[in-house]
Amino acid sequence: MRLPPSLLYRLRDASRPIVAVVAAGFLGAQFLRGEALAPGFGWVLLLFFGMTLGFVALAGWATDRE
């Protein structure tokens, strides 16, 4: 699943709850795709993408950018 560029540009100025809903939807879709591929692989994808999104959020917070 790839997010369209227009959605990413709109998310740049969106509030945090909206970004959280989009991120949760993205993680949920990746989890379902991974579970369809192999049992347990959805959890691996969920942890990988969750940590990646967490690091991006931490970097944004650390540089004081919204």
Side-chain angles (χ1 to χ4, degrees):
M1 179 179 157
R2 187 173 181 189
L3 297 175
S6 62
L7 177 65
L8 294 176
Y9 285 125
R10 284 186 275 170
L11 282 176
R12 184 173 42 186
D13 297 326
S15 64
R16 287 184 181 161
I18 300 298
V19 174
V21 168
V22 172
F26 176 78
L27 290 174
Q30 296 306 315
F31 175 77
L32 293 176
R33 288 180 67 190
E35 285 295 315
L37 188 62
F41 189 61
W43 290 108
V44 173
L45 287 177
L46 187 67
L47 289 173
F48 174 74
F49 284 123
M51 286 189 336
T52 302
L53 289 173
F55 286 136
V56 168
L58 181 62
W61 176 76
T63 58
D64 202 28
R65 296 180 65 181
E66 292 182 348

